[in-house]
Amino acid sequence: MSHAAAMRAALDEARAALDTGDVPIGAVVVDEAGTVIGRGRNAREADADPTAHAEVLALREAARARGEWRLSGCSLVVTLEPCTMCAGALVLARVDRLVFGAYDDKAGAVGSLWDVVRDRRLNHRPEVVAGVLAEESTALLEGFFRAQRS
């Protein structure tokens, strides 16, 4: 599965978050064969859970599908640059590759404010592919926040 195809699946998850009033961020975990083994969308509002970020939910589902917490060989594809919690989670899950769409200048931990995933002090550093379908991810978020302000 190409990065763009996986990002389209993540964008579908992000759009589904709109139904619950959550910020439209979506994520998928893709295994070595290109199969989606985990899906997540923001559910902080829906679940009243501060940790219910799209990335964490997708990682949890992928780990259940694999029957283990190590997600070696997998890619995490998410519509927005991960925050510190999610960046830490994907490092701890041993994800091989992070693919994200839009940068997050306010809370991004993969180059914007911090660079958790490339910190040389950590024993695992995934490959990073940034900016995949960034315009679509940005437009979805901007539309959501514009509607919140009006």
Side-chain angles (χ1 to χ4, degrees):
M1 176 179 282
S2 72
H3 296 325
M7 186 61 74
R8 285 187 192 89
L11 283 162
D12 288 343
E13 291 296 320
R15 285 191 271 288
L18 291 169
D19 296 336
T20 63
D22 277 285
V23 177
I25 300 170
V28 295
V29 176
V30 180
D31 70 9
E32 304 92 330
T35 303
V36 174
I37 61 169
R39 294 177 183 276
R41 65 185 71 124
N42 267 12
R44 292 184 311 165
E45 298 297 330
D47 295 350
D49 179 354
T51 68
H53 289 207
E55 302 95 322
V56 170
L57 299 176
L59 291 169
R60 286 178 185 160
E61 187 173 289
R64 278 193 300 274
R66 278 212 161 164
E68 67 172 319
W69 62 267
R70 287 177 194 84
L71 297 176
S72 301
C74 293
S75 297
L76 173 65
V77 182
V78 61
T79 58
L80 184 66
E81 177 185 2
C83 69
T84 53
M85 176 182 70
C86 295
L90 74 97
V91 167
L92 292 173
R94 307 296 192 267
V95 170
D96 281 2
R97 181 176 305 102
L98 167 65
V99 178
F100 70 89
Y103 279 92
D104 183 353
D105 295 334
K106 295 180 181 177
V110 186
S112 289
L113 292 181
W114 300 280
D115 203 348
V116 172
V117 300
R118 294 185 196 104
D119 191 318
R120 293 200 167 279
R121 296 169 292 183
L122 299 175
N123 66 346
H124 179 75
R125 289 180 297 282
E127 173 189 354
V128 176
V129 179
V132 176
L133 300 182
E135 299 81 19
E136 289 181 47
S137 297
T138 300
L140 188 58
L141 288 162
E142 286 176 348
F144 172 80
F145 287 114
R146 189 173 24 258
Q148 294 294 310
R149 289 189 292 271
S150 50

